[in-house]
């Protein structure tokens, strides 16, 4: 898979993450609408871009870790508070499932294709 496709897949994963977060935690202050999703998305999307730049599109685990750390750090700065441990846990696990999950599925399909062509 080329790096552009991988970056787009990561971006889609982070968009899904933001949509699911807004759906689960909508409130009067943060409704489930485009603005609410965008407010949740941009810190993690910025983290994704930084992760890709730092690793030069390298290993997905590092991209994911940088995405989560930057996203949570921006959240903390915006809210002048350390994120609650449950938010840290859920954000870390969900982003891992989405960002590393597609990589795992892709790797499995590539192995199957390689074996079928051998």
């Amino acid at each position: 898979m080329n790096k552009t496709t991988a970056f787009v897949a990561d971006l889609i994963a982070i968009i899904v993450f933001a949509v699911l977060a807004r759906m689960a935690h909508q409130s009067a202050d943060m409704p489930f609408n485009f603005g609410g999703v965008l407010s949740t998305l941009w810190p993690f999307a910025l983290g994704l871009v930084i992760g890709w730049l730092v690793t030069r599109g390298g290993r997905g685990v590092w991209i994911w870790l940088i995405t989560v750390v930057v996203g949570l750090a921006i959240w903390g700065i915006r809210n002048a508070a350390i994120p609650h441990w449950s938010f840290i846990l859920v954000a870390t696990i969900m982003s891992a499932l989405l960002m590393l999950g597609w990589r795992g599925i892709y790797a499995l399909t590539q192995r199957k294709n390689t074996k079928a062509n051998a």
Side-chain angles (χ1 to χ4, degrees):
M1 173 180 297
N2 68 46
K3 289 183 179 185
T4 301
T5 304
F7 176 80
V8 170
D10 276 344
L11 185 57
I12 290 168
I14 291 301
I15 291 168
V16 169
F17 167 78
V19 168
L20 292 174
R22 272 301 97 224
M23 286 174 63
H25 301 288
Q26 59 184 313
S27 66
D29 293 337
M30 288 299 283
F32 181 60
N33 60 22
F34 180 75
V37 171
L38 189 60
S39 179
T40 302
L41 172 66
W42 79 262
F44 293 93
L46 180 58
L48 176 67
V49 170
I50 292 170
W52 271 83
L53 291 172
V54 167
T55 65
R56 291 178 251 203
R59 298 193 47 93
V61 171
W62 286 109
I63 295 169
W64 160 68
L65 282 172
I66 292 167
T67 300
V68 171
V69 169
V70 170
L72 289 171
I74 292 171
W75 185 95
I77 292 166
R78 281 178 52 201
N79 293 285
I82 296 172
H84 191 270
W85 67 268
S86 61
F87 176 47
I88 294 169
L89 188 65
V90 170
T92 301
I93 291 170
M94 284 305 299
S95 61
L97 287 172
L98 293 166
M99 291 180 70
L100 302 178
W102 77 256
R103 285 177 169 82
I105 293 168
Y106 178 77
L108 286 173
T109 60
Q110 291 305 300
R111 277 192 215 134
K112 286 182 182 181
N113 289 341
T114 302
K115 287 181 183 180
N117 293 330

